[in-house]
Amino acid sequence: MLEGVKNQLIKMQKLSEISEQFLQLSSKDRLDYQMITDLLLELSDGRFAVFNLIDHHGDYFHTEAFSGNAALVEKALKVAGIDFSKKIWPNDPVRLERTSNQITTHFQTIYEYAGSVVPELVCISLQKMFHIGELILIKIMTDKKMIGDFVIFMDADMPYDSEAIVEIYSRQVGLVVSRFNAENALRESEVNFKALFEKGPIGIAYHEMIYSKSGKPVDYLFLDANAAYKEPVSYTHLAGDSQMTLP
């Protein structure tokens, strides 16, 4: 029992260190899905771990990373006729229903988890081949919406005793993924707007009003203007000029 308590304390310390890592991540960094999955495997004492993200419509999920002996598993799946390289799988409505009311769901067999995606005989064969016990699915949530999940494959002889720690970790990952998605969307929007502004057919200029001491508007400063605005008046540069200083 003391060994189990010691192990949990070590995992809590590791979780604290991971939290610090996540806080230091910059949106300019590439989100390392493999590192995230490797850390999950370490926290859970699992045999294998998978990190999936769901598409915007919720119809498919995409495997972003696999932790464990990936080469061995991929080879076994190919022998079984399953192309793991595509890593895109249809969402199973039965599994969605079963997991709808909780963050963590336990599956006793691979087939119970995979459902119609993988044939039952293949699931049984894989379970025996890799000595797999239960599978643990942990939702990755943000703003009460599921954006992905972790799947942990436990060894048949290893109990899963890290539920609380892994759920905390999944929430942290959800926050990180959500932040990166929002910042990437903002950058993409800024790039699109800049392209529309610079190359658009309609003349557009940004101004800053200049006021007198009494608060009356007396002039305005050009902050920026696109080519369509400058061309008719033959100005090549306007930013920093005021209307009163222009010829």
Side-chain angles (χ1 to χ4, degrees):
M1 181 173 178
L2 288 176
E3 187 65 29
V5 172
K6 182 181 178 181
N7 189 37
Q8 290 298 309
L9 289 174
I10 291 172
K11 288 180 180 180
M12 287 300 295
Q13 177 62 35
K14 182 65 179 179
L15 187 61
S16 177
E17 294 171 1
I18 291 169
S19 300
E20 289 295 325
Q21 284 182 257
F22 284 166
L23 287 172
Q24 292 170 12
L25 285 175
S26 166
S27 60
K28 295 179 181 179
D29 299 328
R30 180 180 175 273
L31 198 54
D32 191 339
Y33 294 126
Q34 188 60 55
M35 177 199 73
I36 289 172
T37 314
D38 291 343
L39 289 171
L40 169 71
L41 193 65
E42 184 178 345
L43 288 171
S44 66
D45 294 324
R47 184 81 185 273
F48 306 108
V50 180
F51 180 12
N52 301 307
L53 287 178
I54 298 174
D55 77 320
H56 295 301
H57 303 291
D59 298 326
Y60 294 89
F61 61 92
H62 188 277
T63 299
E64 300 294 342
F66 182 99
S67 188
N69 194 331
L72 182 62
V73 172
E74 188 168 349
K75 182 178 180 180
L77 290 174
K78 283 184 177 179
V79 170
I82 302 169
D83 185 3
F84 189 73
S85 63
K86 294 181 179 178
K87 301 181 181 180
I88 299 176
W89 320 94
N91 243 333
D92 181 3
V94 176
R95 184 171 63 243
L96 284 174
E97 177 65 26
R98 177 168 174 181
T99 61
S100 63
N101 296 320
Q102 61 271 335
I103 297 297
T104 299
T105 305
H106 295 246
F107 297 88
Q108 297 307 310
T109 66
I110 294 177
Y111 180 68
E112 187 182 352
Y113 164 75
S116 59
V117 177
V118 182
E120 184 175 7
L121 290 177
V122 173
C123 291
I124 294 171
S125 177
L126 292 172
Q127 189 132 10
K128 290 180 179 178
M129 184 185 304
F130 295 108
H131 198 241
I132 299 298
E134 65 175 343
L135 282 70
I136 320 296
L137 183 148
I138 307 97
K139 292 180 182 177
I140 302 172
M141 306 288 291
T142 179
D143 296 327
K144 298 182 179 180
K145 179 184 178 182
M146 182 178 175
I147 61 171
D149 62 44
F150 290 125
V151 183
I152 302 167
F153 296 71
M154 298 301 297
D155 187 277
D157 298 326
M158 177 68 70
Y160 179 66
D161 59 1
S162 305
E163 187 161 312
I165 289 173
V166 170
E167 285 193 3
I168 294 171
Y169 181 68
S170 74
R171 288 196 290 272
Q172 292 178 340
V173 171
L175 290 172
V176 170
V177 171
S178 179
R179 175 166 67 86
F180 268 70
N181 287 344
E183 290 171 351
N184 287 336
L186 178 60
R187 276 197 298 272
E188 185 177 340
S189 177
E190 288 173 346
V191 168
N192 291 338
F193 179 79
K194 184 177 180 181
L196 181 64
F197 170 75
E198 292 178 346
K199 300 177 181 179
I202 301 173
I204 303 173
Y206 293 143
H207 301 133
E208 179 183 333
M209 293 302 299
I210 301 173
Y211 297 89
S212 67
K213 292 181 179 180
S214 62
K216 181 180 179 181
V218 293
D219 198 358
Y220 56 83
L221 190 70
F222 283 93
L223 300 180
D224 201 358
N226 66 356
Y229 185 94
K230 296 173 186 176
E231 189 175 354
V233 289
S234 300
Y235 290 128
T236 58
H237 178 78
L238 283 173
D241 293 329
S242 70
Q243 179 63 34
M244 298 292 289
T245 61
L246 294 175

